[in-house]
Amino acid sequence: MTRFRLRTGPVALFGAVFVLALVVLLPLRLVLGWFDLSQTRVAAREATGSVWFGGLREAQVGSVALGDLAARLSPWPLAVGRARIDVAGQATGDSSAASRTIRGAISASRHTVGIDDMTASLPAGNVFAPLPVTGLELDDVSVRYRDGNCDKAEGRVRAVLGGDIAGIALGQGLSGNARCDAGALLLPLASQAGTERVDLRLWQSGRFVAQLTVRASDPTAAQKLELGGFRPTSKGHMLTIDGNF
């Protein structure tokens, strides 16, 4: 019979096993508190499980509901002082929630917060009212705020529209590529025909400014837009909304 002799003393071995158990079983809620991931405006009713196999119950970003998400810590960014929590799940908020998938990550460090490689279909609810934006679809979107200012933004965004505004039927959707502009995240979204456009600016604080521009097809449509609060400009009729999400 072959015998194996442990070169490590029992005290040191017990200590190593104890530390390993602490790391493996470390509650996710403690890590979220340590790295203050609330800066990302992502919150949850409860964080459950360990840091490697956890979950966020009734998660939301600002006032937008995300539903229950699986969550785990990605170890490699810790080497550069950044916490990255990978998340996956399905958003909630309407009857089509089954198709609203979420996959990506939220991250934070001493000076930065943001999302990484996020592909998601999110319900907007009445966040952007009176704009008829019912949802936002993100395609591999990454956004980084540094010391409160947008420092990096990339990826494709599509705004899903429902209904009309001022009696004018809008297109089925507006899309564009995310970028930074004067400290804000800018989503320049336009319809395929180019007759409708939304320039949506979002700040880390949760404030947003949305400018909807519509090119009226005839004087009757222009009159309806002006009665609905739009003002005529050289680019078309514009409605500006300032709010928080």
Side-chain angles (χ1 to χ4, degrees):
M1 178 183 296
T2 303
R3 300 193 176 201
F4 296 93
R5 185 184 297 270
L6 292 176
R7 297 181 179 275
T8 304
V11 175
L13 179 61
F14 174 79
V17 172
F18 181 71
V19 170
L20 180 61
L22 282 179
V23 171
V24 172
L25 302 176
L26 191 66
L28 177 65
R29 59 182 175 80
L30 290 182
V31 174
L32 296 180
W34 289 345
F35 288 96
D36 194 17
L37 288 176
S38 62
Q39 299 177 79
T40 61
R41 295 187 55 75
V42 175
R45 178 176 294 276
E46 183 183 12
T48 62
S50 75
V51 71
W52 309 119
F53 304 99
L56 301 175
R57 290 189 55 220
E58 297 182 33
Q60 61 184 65
V61 53
S63 56
V64 176
L66 304 179
D68 296 340
L69 302 177
R72 68 179 184 86
L73 178 68
S74 181
W76 309 119
L78 293 174
V80 293
R82 184 165 64 95
R84 171 180 163 129
I85 303 293
D86 295 320
V87 296
Q90 292 183 333
T92 60
D94 60 24
S95 58
S96 63
S99 64
R100 296 180 176 276
T101 58
I102 298 174
R103 185 181 68 256
I106 57 176
S107 62
S109 69
R110 182 178 179 184
H111 296 286
T112 66
V113 295
I115 59 173
D116 299 319
D117 313 314
M118 187 68 71
T119 295
S121 184
L122 306 175
N126 356 342
V127 172
F128 302 110
L131 297 186
V133 177
T134 60
L136 291 175
E137 296 180 354
L138 313 183
D139 184 7
D140 200 21
V141 173
S142 294
V143 178
R144 185 75 38 81
Y145 289 96
R146 180 178 297 276
D147 295 325
N149 294 312
C150 185
D151 182 63
K152 169 192 173 183
E154 60 186 12
R156 191 84 175 161
V157 178
R158 179 174 179 267
V160 181
L161 304 179
D164 56 37
I165 189 166
I168 306 297
L170 303 179
Q172 293 301 305
L174 312 173
S175 59
N177 294 319
R179 68 173 189 263
C180 293
D181 180 67
L185 166 64
L186 172 61
L187 304 180
L189 311 175
S191 65
Q192 190 171 10
T195 53
E196 299 94 19
R197 179 183 180 91
V198 172
D199 288 314
L200 178 59
R201 288 175 170 81
L202 302 104
W203 285 264
Q204 183 184 330
S205 63
R207 178 185 173 228
F208 72 85
V209 173
Q211 291 181 321
L212 170 61
T213 304
V214 179
R215 293 181 185 174
S217 56
D218 55 58
T220 301
Q223 185 177 26
K224 288 182 179 180
L225 290 171
E226 290 172 24
L227 290 174
F230 283 74
R231 58 184 178 85
T233 72
S234 58
K235 298 180 180 179
H237 283 73
M238 182 181 294
L239 178 67
T240 301
I241 297 170
D242 195 326
N244 286 276
F245 69 90

